[in-house]
Amino acid sequence: MATAAAQQTARTQPGTGRDGTAGSIDADDALARAFDAAVAADERIEPRDWMPDAYRATLVRQIAQHAHSEIIGMQPEANWITRAPSLRRKAILMAKVQDEAGHGLYLYSAAETLGTGRDELLDKLHSGRQKYSSIFNYPTLTWADVGAIGWLVDGAAITNQVPLCRCSYGPYARAMVRICKEESFHQRQGYELLLALSKGTPEQHAMAQDAVDRWWWPSLMMFGPPDDESAHSAQSMAWKIKRHSNDELRQRFVDICVPQAESLGLTLPDPDLRWNEERGHHDFGAIDWTEFREVLKGNGPCNEQRITQRRRAHDEGAWVREAAAAHAAKHTTGAPQA
Amino acid sequence: MTAPSTDTPTASAALALGDDALVLSHRLGEWMGHAPVLEEEVALANIALDLLGQARVLLSMAGDEDQLAYLREERAFRNLQLVEQPNGDFAHTIARQLYFSTYQHLLYARLAAGDGPFAPLAAKAVKETAYHRDHAEQWTLRLGDGTEESHTRMNRACAALWRFTGEMFQPVEGVDVDGGALEAEWLASVEDVLRRSTLDVPEGPRSGAWTAGAGRQGLHTEPFGRMLAEMQHLHRSHPGASW
């Protein structure tokens, strides 16, 4: 570890190695070549390995945003826990929201292996310096939204995240393996919830259709901007953080959803959606990128509410965290006093 | 549906114990997305889920779980007044957990040791409630013996909920335990935790004359009706629908 730290110091001060000789530049080049070779060979980069600063920064940004999305994503679903219409559904929803908190914890741990702290990341979330997925700025207006989130939002998340199980950064890839297993379970539960509504009373069917109508386009936006506008894509793909482009994943998701919507007995709100024999894919209508950018800028329907609730939970919990720290300081024997 | 079927002592007891678990689970569910630290989002949800699991088994012993949960009026619920109390701050939630999980753990240990109709459920629930009790005790220690503010808040919470604790030891038809022995053990345990937490053992009555056994008879506190309105609204809006 000491060696890695020394190497890191040498690398971050190019041309002025620790001993002022050019030897460190050669060592630096060797490390960079070793990194490139490891990525090319599909080996995993681990926390103590040398990595380019920009690779580290990209991963911190992406993993933190992913963790924040899990935490903020608890809110739209928790909104329905106290109103879930059967005890079975209530248990499923509680378990799901609990899983999301757990996913947030895995991901903050993965981010921490890159030399940042959970408190620092939460602070960036609360102050708006780091983002979370745009999807969670939409409101859950009916019970069917819980199903639409499971089917479409978790479905989109899985499409995005399964390739991350092969991401070049080991701790992130391993977190994704665990998370994807649980996410696919949630997705099936959401589908099954919508199916029960779709086959239920006319009012329940209408509730399911309305939810799909409202969540379809925001779910397609979860894959990010089109490839020609995606700032980080090329570099992330070169580093094998990302394995497929935004548009590729979006297309894959649409192709998966169309037959699922049919078997649900629900329609997707896109008059331009049709099978294209030549491409072997579904063509679909234009996404409203103006809306996407507005939501990202903070002007979506729930941006203010989500971040306010998150900050309030944190601020109102401050005395609890202080109590835990004070108690630990009093009762930990042998530890150095702060 | 205003009055549940309580034809047998077992159904009557299942309803009382099931309602306790159902209502407290609901209150803990209200914390989700609001907890002071992420680990507590997980822990409170975990406890809520255990309780909901217990509620489902118990209510099913008395009838249809959803009919019983969603279609009874306030006056037909048999839960303790303690578990319906609003969450308040984290200290109130923890004080409620300390009082209730200690009771539930001692009760289920007795039921698990017997051969009555609740023995199979109790055998599983006793393991869950041991964890709930430990969680509540650990937080009582941290908050009581933490900062001045947490100490004050925890003392206030323990005192505020004290008057609801006597009801736990009123006899419940169909629950074959010695209430007096249970109460003595509960008191000794809670007093020990409070002392180790540098907290005061509250001095007021453990149940006013009008609260003794009240929840078990369907006499509840005002916040409970509002809780049920939220819990039952969707189910009641779609009569006969399946979910």
Side-chain angles (χ1 to χ4, degrees):
Chain A
M1 190 163 174
T3 314
Q7 288 163 345
Q8 184 70 22
T9 307
R11 208 202 62 75
T12 53
Q13 298 172 322
T16 54
R18 279 150 61 88
D19 54 2
T21 68
S24 61
I25 299 172
D26 289 343
D28 184 37
D29 286 347
L31 286 166
R33 278 196 301 276
F35 172 84
D36 290 342
V39 170
D42 271 338
E43 284 167 20
R44 291 281 159 79
I45 307 301
E46 297 297 338
R48 291 176 188 186
D49 293 342
W50 183 90
M51 63 188 81
D53 288 346
Y55 177 86
R56 187 183 297 274
T58 293
L59 278 168
V60 168
R61 192 190 67 244
Q62 182 172 337
I63 300 172
Q65 174 167 328
H66 195 159
H68 300 332
S69 300
E70 297 282 357
I71 301 310
I72 296 286
M74 295 168 71
Q75 290 185 28
E77 294 180 289
N79 184 36
W80 281 92
I81 285 176
T82 54
R83 292 176 289 170
S86 74
L87 297 186
R88 174 172 167 265
R89 293 290 178 196
K90 187 173 184 163
I92 289 172
L93 184 57
M94 273 187 181
K96 182 182 177 188
V97 178
Q98 182 193 20
D99 282 349
E100 282 158 4
H103 295 173
L105 287 169
Y106 296 161
L107 288 162
Y108 286 122
S109 299
E112 284 178 335
T113 64
L114 292 159
T116 180
R118 197 210 296 183
D119 290 346
E120 188 187 334
L121 297 175
L122 282 174
D123 190 49
K124 285 182 175 161
L125 169 66
H126 297 154
S127 61
R129 282 174 294 155
Q130 282 179 343
K131 298 193 180 305
Y132 55 88
S133 177
S134 60
I135 195 79
F136 301 119
N137 293 311
Y138 290 86
T140 46
L141 302 178
T142 73
W143 170 251
D145 291 34
V146 171
I149 289 181
W151 177 43
L152 295 174
V153 174
D154 292 339
I158 293 162
T159 309
N160 258 329
Q161 291 171 9
V162 164
L164 287 174
C165 298
R166 294 184 296 125
C167 161
S168 59
Y169 189 58
Y172 192 26
R174 288 188 289 274
M176 292 320 304
V177 171
R178 298 174 69 180
I179 289 172
C180 283
K181 280 181 195 160
E182 292 177 347
E183 292 288 0
S184 34
F185 194 57
H186 299 162
Q187 200 249 356
R188 274 169 37 203
Q189 289 168 336
Y191 179 90
E192 197 254 334
L193 191 165
L194 279 183
L195 189 63
L197 294 180
S198 180
K199 295 189 166 205
T201 65
E203 291 80 10
Q204 286 177 306
H205 182 89
M207 194 192 280
Q209 184 62 60
D210 169 62
V212 169
D213 289 348
R214 284 181 289 109
W215 288 92
W216 173 249
W217 291 108
S219 301
L220 293 191
M221 295 177 196
M222 286 175 69
F223 296 93
D227 292 347
D228 49 10
E229 290 173 31
S230 180
H232 306 291
S233 274
Q235 182 60 74
S236 287
M237 286 177 78
W239 277 328
K240 294 189 182 172
I241 294 172
K242 222 173 146 154
R243 296 277 178 165
H244 309 279
S245 80
N246 294 352
D247 288 333
E248 269 171 46
L249 291 170
R250 190 167 10 245
Q251 179 70 61
R252 185 179 298 178
F253 178 66
V254 171
D255 290 340
I256 291 169
C257 287
V258 170
Q260 289 182 351
E262 272 167 34
S263 50
L264 278 171
L266 298 171
T267 59
L268 296 171
D270 180 359
D272 298 326
L273 186 65
R274 62 180 58 83
W275 177 252
N276 181 326
E277 192 69 55
E278 249 172 67
R279 292 202 305 126
H281 289 292
H282 291 87
D283 290 338
F284 54 99
I287 289 171
D288 183 350
W289 293 114
T290 308
E291 174 180 319
F292 178 70
R293 282 188 291 268
E294 283 302 310
V295 175
L296 279 191
K297 271 197 286 182
N299 302 324
C302 297
N303 299 60
E304 185 64 35
Q305 172 190 332
R306 299 286 185 243
I307 210 71
T308 299
Q309 177 177 326
R310 181 60 220 143
R311 270 196 218 123
R312 186 185 300 137
H314 189 76
D315 292 347
E316 289 179 357
W319 71 271
V320 176
R321 297 190 299 276
E322 285 158 15
H327 180 84
K330 283 185 214 178
H331 296 275
T332 307
T333 48
Q337 295 295 308
Chain B
M1 182 178 177
T2 49
S5 135
T6 47
D7 323 342
T8 65
T10 298
S12 168
L15 205 63
L17 302 182
D19 284 351
D20 285 349
L22 177 71
V23 170
L24 185 55
S25 166
H26 185 94
R27 284 297 190 207
L28 292 175
E30 293 173 353
W31 267 106
M32 300 187 76
H34 300 272
V37 60
L38 292 175
E39 284 79 356
E40 282 306 294
E41 298 279 5
V42 178
L44 294 174
N46 205 341
I47 297 169
L49 269 170
D50 286 345
L51 290 168
L52 186 53
Q54 294 166 13
R56 294 183 66 191
V57 173
L58 287 160
L59 293 184
S60 297
M61 289 172 78
D64 176 89
E65 62 175 36
D66 284 339
Q67 275 190 24
L68 289 169
Y70 291 101
L71 298 176
R72 267 184 300 159
E73 307 283 346
E74 185 178 337
R75 290 282 284 110
F77 273 81
R78 295 288 175 260
N79 55 283
L80 298 164
Q81 290 186 347
L82 175 67
V83 295
E84 75 201 28
Q85 295 312 304
N87 288 333
D89 65 5
F90 190 69
H92 275 79
T93 291
I94 292 301
R96 191 181 61 196
Q97 286 303 112
L98 176 71
Y99 293 163
F100 183 73
S101 64
T102 304
Y103 155 77
Q104 216 192 8
H105 184 232
L106 296 172
L107 175 69
Y108 281 134
R110 283 166 167 75
L111 292 174
D115 55 2
F118 298 110
L121 164 92
K124 178 164 185 280
V126 75
K127 294 177 195 148
E128 294 168 348
T129 54
Y131 160 75
H132 304 170
R133 183 181 178 178
D134 181 54
H135 174 264
E137 289 185 3
Q138 294 302 321
W139 271 112
T140 302
L141 284 163
R142 287 191 200 108
L143 299 181
D145 191 13
T147 63
E148 202 180 321
E149 181 183 8
S150 69
H151 178 84
T152 305
R153 284 184 187 247
M154 197 61 202
N155 253 339
R156 196 186 298 150
C158 289
L161 293 169
W162 192 245
R163 71 191 180 94
F164 297 107
T165 58
E167 193 185 354
M168 295 187 284
F169 309 103
Q170 298 291 320
V172 177
E173 192 194 10
V175 177
D176 187 21
V177 296
D178 177 348
L182 190 66
E183 180 164 22
E185 203 179 332
W186 182 89
L187 259 179
S189 169
V190 167
E191 286 181 6
D192 174 60
V193 175
L194 294 178
R195 287 208 184 89
R196 283 190 289 124
S197 307
T198 73
L199 292 163
D200 304 328
V201 175
E203 283 177 354
R206 305 228 345 280
S207 48
W210 66 274
T211 52
R216 295 279 186 236
Q217 294 157 34
L219 297 169
H220 294 279
T221 56
E222 287 184 349
F224 184 53
R226 203 164 282 107
M227 191 207 100
L228 282 188
E230 181 172 342
M231 183 174 105
Q232 297 180 336
H233 167 261
L234 178 59
H235 186 97
R236 285 181 182 267
S237 301
H238 296 265
S242 8
W243 301 94

